[in-house]
Amino acid sequence: MNLYIYLFLAIGAVFGLFSYPQRHLFSEGLNKVEPPQGAPSLSSRVLWVMVCTFLWPLMVLTGLNSAWILAKRKRQVEIDKP
């Protein structure tokens, strides 16, 4: 049983590391927020990885929903072009 828990946490940590640059897709809105003036801090990356470690299945679902909405908007813009 411990192997499944470790695997779940490891997948979440890897997901968090790779999804950090696209974290705006997993928030409440689809607009990319303006990055802070300085480089991303280590604490923000660690916080993102910790959240994703435990909530990665929900994050995947919200990311898929955001991708679907963005694709739908893109199709609508292409249709509306003269």
Side-chain angles (χ1 to χ4, degrees), residues 31-52:
N31 297 331
K32 193 170 187 174
V33 296
E34 293 296 322
Q37 296 297 334
S41 66
L42 179 63
S43 62
S44 67
R45 185 175 293 267
V46 168
L47 179 64
W48 180 256
V49 170
M50 286 173 34
V51 167
C52 287

Side-chain angles (χ1 to χ4, degrees), residues 12 14-33 48-49 51-52 55-70:
V14 170
F15 176 78
L17 288 173
F18 285 115
S19 66
Y20 181 76
Q22 293 86 21
R23 63 191 180 277
H24 63 280
L25 294 175
F26 304 97
S27 66
E28 293 178 6
L30 295 173
N31 297 331
K32 193 170 187 174
V33 296
W48 180 256
V49 170
V51 167
C52 287
L55 299 176
W56 70 265
L58 295 175
M59 301 300 264
V60 167
L61 292 175
T62 58
L64 290 173
N65 182 45
S66 295
W68 179 69
I69 290 171
L70 288 173

